[in-house]
Amino acid sequence: GKTEQDEEEGAGVAGASLLEVLGEEKRNKVLSSIYICRCDTSGLVRSAAINVWKALVATPRTLKELVPTLTQLLIYRLASSNMEQKVIAGNALGELIRKAGEGVLASLLPTLEEGLQTSTDIDHRQGICIALREIISSASQDALEDYERTITSVVRVALVDTDSDVREAAAEAFDSLQKIFGKKAVDQVLPYLLNLLRIESDAEIALAALLTLLTDNTRSNVILPNLIPTLLVSPINAFNAKAITSLAQVAGGAMTRRLPVILNTFMDNEVSSTSEALHAELQASFDAILLSVDEFDGLNTAMSVMLGLVRNEDHRKRASTNLHLSTFFANTNLDYSRYHQDLIRVLLNSFDDGDIDVVKAAWVALFELTKRLRKEELEGLVLSTRTSLQQVGVPGHNLPGFSLHKGIGAILPIFSHGLLNGNSDQRVQAALAISDIIDRTDADGLKLFVTQLAGPLIRAVSERSVDVKCKSLQAIDLEIIPTHLKPFLPQLQRTFAKSLADSSSEILRSRAAQALGTLITLTPRIDPLIAELVAGSKIPDVGVQNAMLKALYEVVSRAGMHMNETSRASILGLIESESGHVDDSMNVTNARLMGALVKSLSSGTNAANLIKQRVLTSHITSSSILNLNAVLLESPTSLTRSFSQETVVLLCQGISSKNVGI
C-alpha cells in the first residue's frame, strides 16, 4: 500500500493540478465547500468529504489560504434559515479554529469586521455575528485575550447595526464574550454604548442596542445599574424619557428595584418642567413605566411609591400622582385588588385637600377605580370604605370632593351595592355610610343622585333586619333634598307608616315618626295620614301607640295649619281618651301633641276653649301641668296674649303645691 509520504505527494500533485485547471478563486471555493462537508450531519457525506480532502490537500498551509473564502461560505450558512446548515457551519468553524490553529484568528477576525461595516446583506451580517459567537466559544481564552480588542470592536459594531436580527445575534456573541472575560467585557462595551447615547445622531441606534441587550435578565442586571443613572440625570430630556420608557417595557422585572428612583425622579422633573411639550412627554413616560410593571414585585414597589406620592407635601405632586393613578386604573390588566382599601383611603383623604386641583384629580382616580370594581369586590369594600369616609371632613360641613359635579358618584356605588346585596353587617354600614355622605354634601351635590340614594334605602327599610331598617331610616335625611323626593312620597309614606307599627324596635318607630314629620311638609293633603295615625294609635301595643302619637305630634307641629276640622276633632278625641295614662311616656307624648294642636289653632275660640279645658283647669293635675309645659314650648303667645294672669296664678299654685308629682 501507499505510504503517508506517497499520499502527501499525490495530494500535492492533485492540488497543483486543481489550482492550474480552476484558478485560485474557484479552487478556493471548491476546497472550502469540501471542508464544510467534512462536518456534515450525514456520516456518509462526512466520510466521502474527508477522503476527497485528503486526496487534494497536502499541507495545513493550504487551509490557511482558504480562510477568507471559507469564512464567507460559513457566514452565509450560519445566517441560513435552515437549521441543519447552521449546525454544519458552526461545527466547521470550530473545526477550522482547532485544525488551522488559533493563528487563523489573525485573518478571520478582520474579515468579519470588514464584512459588518461594508455588507448591505442583512443575512450576511447576521451570519458574521453567529460566526463570531462560534469563534469565541471554540478558541482558547489565551487566544481570545490576544485578539480581545478586535473581538470587542466587532461586537460593538454589530450591536449598533440597523437591523434587529443582527443586533440580537450580536447580543448572543456578547453573552459568549462575557462568559470568557466577565465584567471586563461589560466595561469595554457598555461605556461605548452610553457615550453614543449622549450623541444626538447616534442616540437612537445606541438605545436600540441597549434594548436588545436588556431582553435577557442576566444582561439586564449587569447593564441597568450603569444605564439608568445616565438616563436619569436631571433635567430629563424627551429622548431620555422615551429611553427609560422603552427600557421599562423591555427589562420588566429587572427594573423593579430601580422603580422608586425612576418614578420619583420623573415626578420631580414633571412638576418642575416649564415646557408644555416636555411636560406631556414626561407624563406619558410616567404612565407607560407604571403600566409596564409586573403583577408581583413590580406592582408592590410601584404602589408603595404611588401611595407615598399621594401624600406628598407638594400639592403639584399630589395632583399629578392622582391623575397617573386614574390612567393606571383605566388601562392596566393587572390584578391590584389587594391595594383597593389603601387606594380608596388615600384618594378619599384627598377629597378634603386644600388644593382644588388635587381634589379634582383624586375624584377622577377614585371614579376610575370604582367603576371597574366587580360586584363581589364592591360588597367586600363597604366596611373599610365607610371607616375611611368617617375620617374625612367634618359631619355637617360640605366635603370639597363631594361638591364637584357628580362628586359622590365616585364612592356611592360601593354603598348602594352593599346596601342591596351585602350581608346584614354590610347593609347596616352601607346605610350609615350613605348617611355620612349626605351629611357631607350640599343639596346641589345630592340632586343628581336622588334616585340612587332613595331607591336602595327605601328597599332596605323593608328588610327583615331591624338594624338595617333603623340605619336606612336614619340615612333618609329628607330635609336636605325635599323638593327632589316628591316622586317617592307615596312609597315613603307607606314605608314610614309600616315602620311605626313595627313592635320589635322603639328606635325604628321613633325614627319613622320623625321622618313622617318631615315628609308631611312635602304633601298638600295631610288628613288621610292623620286618620291613619289616629286609627293606628288605638292598637293595644303601648310602644306602637306611643309611636303613633309621636308621629301625630310631628305631623301636627309641622303641618297642623293644613288639616281640616275632622282631623282636629279626631286628634282632640284621641287626646281626651288617652289622658291620665299610666305610662309616663304616653302622657308626655299626649301633652306635646296637645301643644302642637294649640299651635295649629293659633288663635280664636277653638284654641281658647282647648286651653281652658286642658291647660288652665280649676284643679291642677299632672296632665294639666304637662299640657302647660307643652303649650309654653310650642305656642307661648297663645297663653301670654289672652291668659297671662291665669297662667301666672296657675304657675304659683303649682310651685306652692305639696304634691311632689306636680
Side-chain angles (χ1 to χ4, degrees), residues 4 26 32 77 90 101 104 174 266 326 394 470 490 501 575 618:
E4 186 174 338
K26 286 187 179 180
S32 294
R77 289 201 179 207
V104 75
F174 174 79
F266 263 78
S326 70
V394 179
C470 290
I575 292 172
S618 56

Side-chain angles (χ1 to χ4, degrees), residues 28-48:
N28 289 350
K29 287 183 178 179
V30 169
L31 290 181
S32 294
S33 297
I34 294 172
Y35 186 85
I36 293 172
C37 288
R38 285 160 46 103
C39 299
D40 199 275
T41 52
S42 166
L44 291 174
V45 173
R46 284 199 307 274
S47 178

